[in-house]
Amino acid sequence: MTTPGHLMAAEIAEQPTVLAHILSSYDAHLSPVLARLRAHDTRSVLLVARGTSDHAAIYAKYLIETRLGLPVGLVSTSTYTAYDAQAHLDGVVWIAVSQSGGSPDLVESTEKARAAGALTIALTNADGSPLEAAAELRLPMLAGVERSVAATKTYTASLQWLWLLVEGWAGGSLDAAAGVPDWVAGALDRPEVSEVASRYRFVERLVTTSRGFAYPTARESALKLMETCYLSAHAFSGADLLHGPLAMIDEDRPVVVICPDGAGGRALQPVLEQLDARGADVCLVAPPEVTATSAARIPLPSGMIEQLAPIAQVVPLQQLALQLALSRHYDPDRPRGLQKVTKTT
């Protein structure tokens, strides 16, 4: 008999090793992609993904807009599949992100985008996947086989690859990523995670929020809590939270705030003030540089670069989902009714 959650726990723990492997071996895979991008007359970028990979795509959107100054959109795949729209994609770079590379809607839309003139790139964790075959260029996640239904190491591997891709495309130094494996190792096994899991064991509703590069972390954390713990978790950007959803916040609906050290953290200060005024039960996920009042806190490593910090930010929240699920006697490796590969059309 296997122990519930053992796959998810092992894959969370593997992340520093996976990220170090990517950083030691990316050049051979990335160099031909960067050469093609630099020769391409790019006017805009489209990102296509589902589920956890969609949150990685949102992270890439922030990177591309801030580092490259290009307009970026998230693809509605039904435009190409259900509605059979005829797109004109000359000058477009199309980046498809998928752990499995097997979702039919991603494959079909990428095939159509390539035929419509887009330069297509597939980032997948499965060699020889249909999505790889559909795209002109390929990047391997190099995360190793992921067996738990809840994606963990493929998410952080995707973030690492997307940062390398965008920073390399922008002509920046990739040396800044050297500290990432150590940051992730420092975010593992924080005792405060167990305390927060105990605090929220019987919670049925929860909100996650952040701004900027950390906003995808809020979305990914909410997804992990939903799929492993079966609670109602809603993710909002801090700006959107203040535009209406704040009305539902009270002391009975905890709010997990991922607060980076940087512009995104400064943008969150009015949100933290409003949450404090409402008496909200706030769990602050932040490095020691961030000072704010909260009912609970999960500390993150100090000195992280804001653009790269999401790779480490999500790790204690993955462990929170794991520990909270186990405390409720669920097996997060096998969420009810879910499969590792979701076949959307």
Side-chain angles (χ1 to χ4, degrees):
M1 178 179 292
T2 58
T3 304
H6 77 286
L7 293 175
M8 186 177 179
E11 288 164 0
I12 291 172
E14 285 176 33
Q15 289 174 112
T17 301
V18 168
L19 295 164
H21 175 56
I22 292 169
L23 292 175
S24 69
S25 57
Y26 67 80
D27 189 61
H29 305 288
L30 187 61
S31 291
V33 175
L34 291 179
R36 183 73 174 85
L37 285 170
R38 288 165 185 156
H40 186 257
D41 182 19
T42 304
R43 297 196 305 270
S44 62
V45 180
L46 290 175
L47 297 155
V48 60
R50 287 289 190 208
T52 285
S53 295
D54 194 46
H55 305 150
I58 295 171
Y59 170 71
K61 185 176 189 291
Y62 279 94
L63 290 174
I64 294 165
E65 289 175 343
T66 57
R67 290 296 286 131
L68 298 170
L70 290 168
V72 184
L74 298 175
V75 173
S76 302
T77 56
S78 61
T79 299
Y80 299 89
T81 57
Y83 295 101
D84 196 26
Q86 302 304 306
H88 304 284
L89 300 180
D90 291 337
V92 172
V93 170
W94 174 287
I95 303 173
V97 185
S98 172
Q99 178 271 327
S100 70
S103 186
D105 62 338
L106 300 189
V107 174
E108 182 180 347
S109 59
T110 298
E111 289 172 340
K112 290 185 174 181
R114 186 175 180 180
L119 171 59
T120 53
I121 303 170
L123 173 60
T124 77
N125 197 46
D127 291 339
S129 69
L131 185 60
E132 278 194 337
E136 176 183 342
L137 301 169
R138 303 156 191 83
L139 288 172
M141 285 183 195
L142 302 178
V145 177
E146 189 175 58
R147 294 183 174 86
S148 176
V149 170
T152 54
K153 62 180 182 175
T154 53
Y155 179 68
T156 51
S158 296
L159 299 190
Q160 182 69 93
W161 272 110
L162 290 164
W163 184 88
L164 291 168
L165 175 66
V166 175
E167 192 64 19
W169 190 0
S173 171
L174 303 186
D175 294 343
V180 168
D182 288 339
W183 298 342
V184 171
L188 284 167
D189 301 321
R190 303 294 311 193
E192 296 85 356
V193 172
S194 296
E195 297 167 9
V196 174
S198 177
R199 182 183 186 90
Y200 295 159
R201 180 179 178 184
F202 299 107
V203 163
E204 295 301 328
R205 301 174 300 169
L206 182 146
V207 166
T208 64
T209 188
S210 193
R211 294 290 305 271
F213 291 102
Y215 171 53
T217 307
R219 291 178 60 100
E220 174 62 11
S221 302
L223 175 60
K224 287 291 161 284
L225 290 165
M226 285 188 282
E227 69 180 338
T228 62
C229 304
Y230 316 135
L231 57 78
S232 177
H234 297 276
F236 298 98
S237 79
D240 288 335
L241 184 64
L242 295 182
H243 275 79
L246 186 69
M248 70 178 175
I249 301 298
D250 56 29
E251 65 275 6
D252 295 323
R253 189 188 297 264
V255 182
V256 177
V257 181
I258 301 98
C259 193
D261 178 30
R266 292 190 291 274
L268 274 170
Q269 292 310 306
V271 180
L272 288 165
E273 291 168 6
Q274 288 289 327
L275 292 173
D276 185 53
R278 298 184 73 86
D281 185 325
V282 171
C283 173
L284 187 68
V285 183
E289 294 89 344
V290 174
T291 58
T293 302
S294 60
R297 183 173 183 131
I298 299 175
L300 292 168
S302 180
M304 295 190 297
I305 300 165
E306 185 178 0
Q307 284 187 339
L308 285 162
I311 304 172
Q313 285 165 349
V314 74
V315 171
L317 294 164
Q318 293 170 343
Q319 291 188 307
L320 177 62
L322 168 66
Q323 294 189 27
L324 197 56
L326 294 176
S327 74
R328 296 175 177 216
H329 307 293
Y330 301 137
D331 183 356
D333 288 337
R334 299 174 180 82
R336 58 194 182 204
L338 297 181
Q339 302 294 323
K340 186 62 181 171
V341 180
T342 301
K343 300 291 187 181
T344 51
T345 58

